[in-house]
């Protein structure tokens, strides 16, 4: 068992990010069994869930004439337009059916405001609206995080970089993550995480 200053953060292991889902990440389901095996080693366990209203502005369907995976400009900066995914209450927003969520102490949902996306488990994409996770972890005495999940280059990356900026010691277990890899986004993410002081294991 790891000491109680260490937490595992299991990011967005949801049906829509697994093969057959609306925003499928290649091999997304391969990480489920090894994550289930790793979670019980930790005394503090947090899972996240991408959780969007059906008219969320990160969806290409909300922008007349826009294709999924194109870019748009939001008040907070550039934003990828995604296929509709992880719609609140939908089957696709559920955790992968073999992910053992009984082991989660805390499940945090993000991306529920129509006007703003949230890749990071700590701040929405404006980089200032907090999700509350920092306070949760700090009030439990956590200063060290291990991150696994989907997708390496989006939600894992943003969560890891934000956590490092907040002063947590962060390790991302690459073999327990899978990437979307849009136009070099995986390489950019790995460089960004390394620059932020995140350990890629
Ligand atoms: C994610 C794109 C859109 C992720 C979430 O979990 O990495 N990516 N929403
Ligand atoms: Zn999303």
């Amino acid at each position: 068992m790891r000491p109680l200053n260490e937490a595992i953060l299991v990011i967005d292991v949801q049906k829509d990010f697994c093969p057959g889902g609306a925003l499928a990440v290649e091999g997304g389901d391969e990480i489920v069994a090894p994550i289930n095996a790793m979670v019980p080693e930790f005394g503090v366990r947090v899972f996240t869930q991408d959780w969007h209203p059906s008219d969320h502005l990160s969806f290409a369907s909300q922008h007349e004439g826009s294709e999924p995976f194109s870019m748009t400009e939001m008040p907070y900066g550039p934003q990828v337009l995604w296929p509709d995914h992880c719609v609140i209450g939908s089957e696709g927003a559920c955790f992968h059916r073999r992910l053992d969520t009984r082991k989660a102490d805390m499940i945090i949902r993000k991306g529920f405001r129509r006007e703003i996306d949230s890749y990071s488990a700590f701040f929405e994409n404006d980089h200032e609206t907090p999700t509350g996770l920092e306070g949760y972890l700090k009030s439990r005495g956590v200063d060290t995080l291990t991150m696994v999940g989907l997708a390496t280059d989006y939600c894992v990356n943003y969560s890891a970089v934000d956590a490092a900026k907040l002063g947590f010691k962060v390790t991302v277990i690459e073999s327990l993550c899978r990437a979307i890899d849009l136009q070099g986004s995986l390489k950019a993410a790995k460089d960004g995480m390394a620059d932020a002081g995140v350990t890629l294991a």
Side-chain angles (χ1 to χ4, degrees):
M1 191 74 161
R2 310 268 191 132
L4 290 172
N5 65 312
E6 290 192 28
I8 186 163
L9 191 55
V10 178
I11 299 177
D12 296 3
V13 182
Q14 290 164 269
K15 288 190 180 179
D16 270 345
F17 296 124
C18 290
L23 179 41
V25 182
E26 211 183 309
D29 53 344
E30 297 165 2
I31 64 176
V32 174
I35 289 174
N36 285 339
M38 181 173 247
V39 166
E41 288 176 29
F42 290 82
V44 182
R45 308 156 184 178
V46 178
F47 288 39
T48 71
Q49 218 171 2
D50 208 38
W51 196 250
H52 302 307
S54 58
D55 59 353
H56 196 250
L57 291 182
S58 76
F59 295 170
S61 61
Q62 298 301 306
H63 302 259
E64 183 92 42
S66 291
E67 292 295 322
F69 306 107
S70 64
M71 297 295 300
T72 192
E73 211 43 57
M74 296 290 216
Y76 53 81
Q79 167 74 46
V80 180
L81 292 176
W82 301 106
D84 292 18
H85 64 279
C86 297
V87 172
I88 295 174
S90 70
E91 187 69 20
C94 295
F95 288 110
H96 187 282
R97 68 184 169 76
R98 288 193 309 275
L99 185 72
D100 189 0
T101 58
R102 294 172 304 180
K103 303 272 180 352
D105 299 337
M106 160 79 161
I107 295 176
I108 186 150
R109 290 170 168 166
K110 60 188 177 58
F112 49 74
R113 291 188 182 84
R114 178 176 191 255
E115 295 74 24
I116 182 164
D117 207 0
S118 187
Y119 295 149
S120 164
F122 294 91
F123 294 99
E124 302 196 10
N125 283 10
D126 60 0
H127 301 293
E128 60 187 45
T129 307
T131 62
L133 183 57
E134 178 191 8
Y136 176 81
L137 291 170
K138 290 193 172 162
S139 63
R140 288 193 64 184
V142 170
D143 59 12
T144 302
L145 296 171
T146 295
M147 297 193 189
V148 297
L150 304 170
T152 322
D153 40 349
Y154 287 93
C155 291
V156 176
N157 168 33
Y158 278 69
S159 299
V161 169
D162 278 351
K165 283 185 188 156
L166 290 170
F168 292 95
K169 189 171 174 304
V170 185
T171 301
V172 169
I173 315 268
E174 271 191 271
S175 61
L176 298 187
C177 298
R178 291 291 182 276
I180 297 175
D181 204 12
L182 269 188
Q183 292 151 5
S185 59
L186 179 58
K187 165 98 173 66
K190 284 181 160 193
D191 291 348
M193 287 191 278
D195 286 348
V198 172
T199 302
L200 295 168

